[in-house]
């Protein structure tokens, strides 16, 4: 029996997606080693566990977890030897049955020193805790600020000092913070565990002080060893700085689990959930449905059938504004409102052909109204991005595309229900904004390996930049042959393609993670579960949205 072109394309897409997922797994395997095997062995020789080993022992076994920012720092700071994982591990998981977020310094990466991206990742962890009222656990093992880059981490609003400001805010709001000093904790970093609600320190390996013995000697001439200066006995029996003295990493983590088990339950936001149901279409089908070539159209409804419970959708205004799909559905039992870019080429009610992935006036209007409805009904929103931007040209401009686009951005930005964003494919220009990009506070934002995040596609940007460069060279009297023009285009596109890669975005925390598409349901479900801890602090004012 002959294989159809559709089947061949599906098989090609599946092979390419599996290759992308395997490449992701290989990158993560390297990142999980932190500073490398030799440094891990050196850490073990001192009786300490690695950051990931600590987290594995702390979290409840056989429960879901979502790691945030594993790829942060990827390809950055090469002149400083790199900073895999930003030198800190951040995981949303469960401890003694309580959902929480864990932040663990990786002492195998520059002794856990803080690079600029380390600060950004720590602040993201605190942001998640504050937005969702999640308990946060700090496993501290850090040499402090990485001094060669101190000007990029020390004084500004979103730098190191913001950590302690957040400690104070969370404490005042009743968000539980537990800190364990499991290694070095020096200088300004010493405030983090002490500004938490409770602190633990491991005997003989944990130390906490504003200045170590060498600096004390240089500053005031006093000779003292680090253990006497700020070890476990000193800080629990003499100064009273820490609350619990424990004898090993293992005892420390067991004690934290005990403390977490005693936390009382708080009121939930009340997002609707029923028994979970698997999609009728298998998740693995996503591999073949998603085109490897980003410009190709595809059936977005088929994607949704592999993501939502029972593959069941209740579409809102199905025949109107067809380049955005809006639908009520359930994900792992949770009621959600889905806003997804439709990548099919469709015909409008006026008989006009509309390009898939482009936002037109009618689709912007529909999505804005749907977002308002979800806010009125307290239904969390899930945005599935594969967007090339808003429609341009005289017809769109005269039709008020800016007005309708502003209405969509307004409705989305003012949403009070939790928002979650999955960048499946393209995320270009203002389309990124309208579909709840990072600037619009999604509770979680993740990307598939097929994602591209930029002002425009690599080819379009390269052509634009090429025109500028060629014009400049011609102005200098240089003759540009077709061969020279092709060489310039290839060079420009190569540089731009690196910047639109999902790894470039994830390394800078524009997205929280790159995920295997089959993990999408788990990420959304974990996200709504954590968002359910925090009631909205304000009502959604429909009257404030332009009509």
């Amino acid at each position: 029996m002959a294989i159809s072109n559709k089947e061949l394309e599906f098989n090609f897409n599946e092979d390419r997606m599996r290759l992308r997922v395997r490449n992701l797994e290989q990158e993560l395997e390297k990142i999980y080693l932190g500073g490398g095997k030799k440094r891990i062995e050196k850490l073990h020789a001192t009786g300490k566990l690695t950051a990931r080993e600590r987290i594995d022992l702390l979290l409840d076994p056989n429960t879901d977890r979502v790691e945030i920012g594993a790829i942060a720092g990827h390809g950055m700071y090469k002149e400083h030897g790199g900073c895999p994982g930003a030198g800190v591990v951040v995981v949303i998981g469960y401890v003694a049955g309580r959902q929480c977020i864990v932040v663990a310094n990786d002492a195998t990466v520059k002794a856990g020193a803080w690079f600029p991206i380390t600060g950004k990742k720590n602040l993201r962890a605190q942001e998640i805790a504050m937005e969702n009222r999640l308990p946060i656990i700090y496993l501290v093992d850090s040499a402090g600020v990485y001094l060669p880059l101190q000007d990029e981490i020390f004084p500004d609003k979103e730098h190191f000092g913001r950590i302690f400001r957040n400690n104070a805010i969370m404490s005042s709001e009743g968000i539980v913070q537990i800190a364990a000093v499991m290694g070095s904790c020096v200088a300004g970093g010493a405030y983090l565990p002490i500004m938490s609600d409770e602190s633990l320190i491991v005997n003989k390996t944990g130390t906490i002080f504003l200045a170590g013995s060498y600096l004390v000697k240089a500053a005031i001439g006093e000779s003292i060893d680090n253990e006497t200066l700020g070890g476990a006995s000193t800080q629990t029996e003499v100064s009273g700085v820490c609350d619990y003295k424990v004898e090993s990493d293992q005892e420390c983590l067991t004690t934290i689990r005990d403390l977490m088990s005693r936390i009382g339950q708080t009121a939930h936001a009340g997002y609707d959930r029923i028994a979970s149901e698997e999609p009728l279409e298998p998740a693995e089908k996503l591999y073949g449905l998603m085109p490897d070539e980003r410009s190709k159209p595809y059936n977005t409804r088929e994607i949704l059938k592999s993501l939502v419970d029972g593959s069941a959708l209740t579409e809102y205004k199905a025949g109107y504004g067809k380049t955005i799909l809006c639908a009520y559905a359930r994900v792992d039992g949770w009621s959600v409102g889905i806003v997804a870019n439709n990548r099919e080429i469709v015909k409008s009610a006026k008989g006009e052909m509309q390009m898939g992935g482009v936002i037109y006036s009618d689709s912007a209007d529909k999505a804005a109204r749907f977002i308002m409805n979800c806010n009125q009904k307290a239904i969390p929103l899930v945005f599935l991005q594969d967007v090339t931007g808003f429609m341009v040209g005289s017809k769109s401009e005269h039709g008020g595309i800016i007005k309708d686009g502003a209405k969509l951005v307004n409705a989305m930005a003012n949403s009070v229900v939790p928002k979650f964003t999955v960048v499946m494919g393209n995320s270009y220009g203002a389309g990124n904004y309208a579909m709840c990009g990072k600037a619009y506070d999604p509770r979680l934002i993740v990307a598939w390996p097929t994602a591209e995040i930029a002002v425009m596609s690599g080819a379009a940007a390269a052509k634009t930049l090429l025109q500028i460069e060629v014009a400049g060279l011609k102005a200098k009297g240089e003759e540009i042959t077709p061969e020279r023009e092709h060489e310039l285009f290839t060079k420009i596109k190569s540089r731009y393609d690196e910047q639109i890669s999902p790894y470039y975005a994830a390394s800078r925390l524009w997205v929280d993670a790159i995920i295997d598409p089959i993990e999408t349901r788990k990420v959304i479900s974990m996200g709504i579960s954590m968002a359910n801890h925090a009631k909205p602090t304000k009502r959604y004012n429909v009257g404030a949205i332009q009509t």
Side-chain angles (χ1 to χ4, degrees):
M1 182 177 177
I3 300 177
S4 67
N5 288 337
K6 188 175 181 180
E7 289 174 309
L8 285 172
E9 186 172 352
F10 184 96
N11 292 339
F12 173 78
N13 291 337
E14 182 178 34
D15 289 344
R16 292 292 299 172
M17 181 66 90
R18 289 188 183 278
L19 180 60
R20 288 176 184 266
V21 170
R22 181 56 190 145
N23 288 340
L24 171 63
E25 291 169 346
Q26 289 174 336
E27 288 297 327
L28 290 173
E29 286 167 10
K30 289 186 283 187
I31 290 167
Y32 292 163
L33 289 175
K37 292 182 179 179
K38 288 185 178 179
R39 290 182 182 173
I40 291 173
E41 291 169 2
K42 187 176 179 180
L43 196 72
H44 286 164
T46 65
K48 293 162 66 175
L49 300 172
T50 67
R52 293 185 179 279
E53 288 168 340
R54 289 167 175 169
I55 290 174
D56 286 342
L57 282 176
L58 179 63
L59 295 182
D60 296 346
N62 304 315
T63 55
D64 284 339
R65 64 174 72 177
V66 173
E67 183 167 350
I68 301 298
I71 298 172
H74 183 271
M76 299 169 67
Y77 311 115
K78 292 178 182 178
E79 66 277 21
H80 297 277
C83 187
V88 63
V89 184
V90 175
V91 174
I92 300 167
Y94 294 88
V95 175
R98 276 75 170 174
Q99 193 176 28
C100 60
I101 187 162
V102 183
V103 181
N105 299 115
D106 187 346
T108 69
V109 179
K110 294 287 194 298
W114 287 57
F115 282 67
I117 194 65
T118 315
K120 188 173 183 179
K121 186 170 174 178
N122 275 268
L123 287 170
R124 176 60 179 145
Q126 289 186 321
E127 181 182 40
I128 291 170
M130 293 167 77
E131 283 184 328
N132 301 287
R133 299 192 63 81
L134 279 188
I136 184 167
I137 299 169
Y138 307 99
L139 306 181
V140 184
D141 194 347
S142 171
V145 166
Y146 183 65
L147 290 177
L149 296 174
Q150 64 86 28
D151 62 318
E152 298 179 40
I153 181 62
F154 170 63
D156 209 347
K157 181 180 178 180
E158 301 299 331
H159 284 177
F160 193 73
R162 190 77 171 182
I163 300 289
F164 314 131
R165 175 265 187 192
N166 289 347
N167 287 145
I169 296 297
M170 281 190 277
S171 182
S172 72
E173 293 182 354
I175 300 169
V176 173
Q177 299 174 85
I178 297 173
V181 181
M182 307 182 78
S184 298
C185 184
V186 301
Y191 286 105
L192 185 148
I194 311 313
M195 293 188 73
S196 299
D197 301 305
E198 292 183 286
S199 61
L200 307 87
I201 185 168
V202 181
N203 195 24
K204 303 302 181 185
T205 55
T207 54
I208 179 170
F209 34 61
L210 293 181
S213 57
Y214 290 121
L215 185 54
V216 167
K217 177 68 173 177
I220 64 173
E222 180 184 3
S223 296
I224 188 170
D225 64 90
N226 283 337
E227 186 65 28
T228 306
L229 181 65
S233 295
T234 298
Q235 301 293 25
T236 56
E237 299 167 16
V238 179
S239 69
V241 163
C242 293
D243 305 311
Y244 305 93
K245 175 184 173 182
V246 292
E247 294 302 320
S248 66
D249 279 12
Q250 290 83 351
E251 183 185 345
C252 181
L253 299 168
T254 299
T255 305
I256 294 172
R257 288 183 55 80
D258 176 70
L259 295 173
M260 285 291 294
S261 72
R262 301 174 189 279
I263 296 175
Q265 297 293 331
T266 56
H268 286 181
Y271 301 122
D272 185 63
R273 192 180 196 185
I274 62 175
S276 178
E277 183 181 347
E278 288 296 314
L280 299 180
E281 300 293 338
E284 287 77 7
K285 195 173 179 181
L286 294 169
Y287 291 166
L289 291 171
M290 192 69 183
D292 186 68
E293 188 179 325
R294 297 298 339 112
S295 60
K296 284 192 174 182
Y298 59 90
N299 189 337
T300 306
R301 288 181 179 83
E302 292 300 313
I303 295 281
L304 297 180
K305 288 179 182 178
S306 291
L307 291 176
V308 303
D309 290 16
S311 300
L313 299 166
T314 302
E315 272 200 59
Y316 174 78
K317 292 183 182 290
Y320 176 73
K322 296 178 183 178
T323 64
I324 290 184
L325 301 178
C326 298
Y328 298 109
R330 290 189 181 272
V331 174
D332 196 23
W334 292 105
S335 173
V336 298
I338 294 175
V339 181
N341 299 113
N342 185 10
R343 284 304 309 271
E344 293 181 295
I345 298 172
V346 298
K347 183 182 288 187
S348 73
K350 297 177 181 178
E352 300 166 340
M353 300 307 296
Q354 296 182 334
M355 294 183 289
V358 178
I359 302 176
Y360 291 78
S361 286
D362 54 356
S363 50
D365 174 71
K366 177 175 82 171
R369 293 175 185 275
F370 181 72
I371 289 168
M372 295 180 206
N373 288 345
C374 288
N375 273 270
Q376 292 293 81
K377 299 174 183 177
I379 299 174
L381 286 159
V382 176
F383 292 84
L384 300 177
Q385 285 195 12
D386 194 350
V387 57
T388 54
F390 285 86
M391 190 58 190
V392 297
S394 61
K395 191 168 187 177
S396 290
E397 298 293 356
H398 297 168
I401 185 66
I402 296 176
K403 171 177 60 69
D404 291 318
K407 184 196 301 183
L408 171 55
V409 172
N410 199 335
M412 182 273 302
N414 280 290
S415 177
V416 298
V417 296
K419 299 171 291 193
F420 303 90
T421 302
V422 181
V423 185
M424 304 187 304
N426 304 329
S427 181
Y428 297 155
N432 170 278
Y433 301 160
M435 294 295 293
C436 196
K438 182 67 181 290
Y440 292 86
D441 299 321
R443 298 294 178 95
L444 292 175
I445 176 169
V446 297
W448 287 2
T450 42
E452 293 185 357
I453 302 174
V455 172
M456 61 183 75
S457 70
K463 288 175 183 177
T464 303
L465 293 169
L466 177 66
Q467 290 174 15
I468 296 170
E469 187 158 341
V470 167
L473 292 172
K474 286 182 176 178
K476 294 177 182 177
E478 185 173 334
E479 183 180 346
I480 306 297
T481 64
E483 293 77 17
R484 173 66 171 147
E485 187 169 319
H486 178 73
E487 179 188 334
L488 287 170
F489 176 81
T490 302
K491 182 180 178 182
I492 293 169
K493 187 174 184 301
S494 176
R495 184 173 67 243
Y496 197 87
D497 282 347
E498 180 185 350
Q499 295 179 359
I500 67 175
S501 158
Y503 291 92
Y504 192 90
S507 70
R508 289 153 179 81
L509 288 171
W510 300 348
V511 296
D512 292 317
I514 303 174
I515 65 167
D516 184 333
I518 65 176
E519 296 286 297
T520 305
R521 278 172 54 85
K522 182 187 82 172
V523 170
I524 294 171
S525 178
M526 284 278 285
I528 300 175
S529 179
M530 72 181 189
N532 199 38
H533 290 86
K535 289 185 176 181
T537 56
K538 60 181 180 179
R539 286 182 57 82
Y540 191 74
N541 185 2
V542 174
I545 308 302
Q546 299 173 23
T547 57

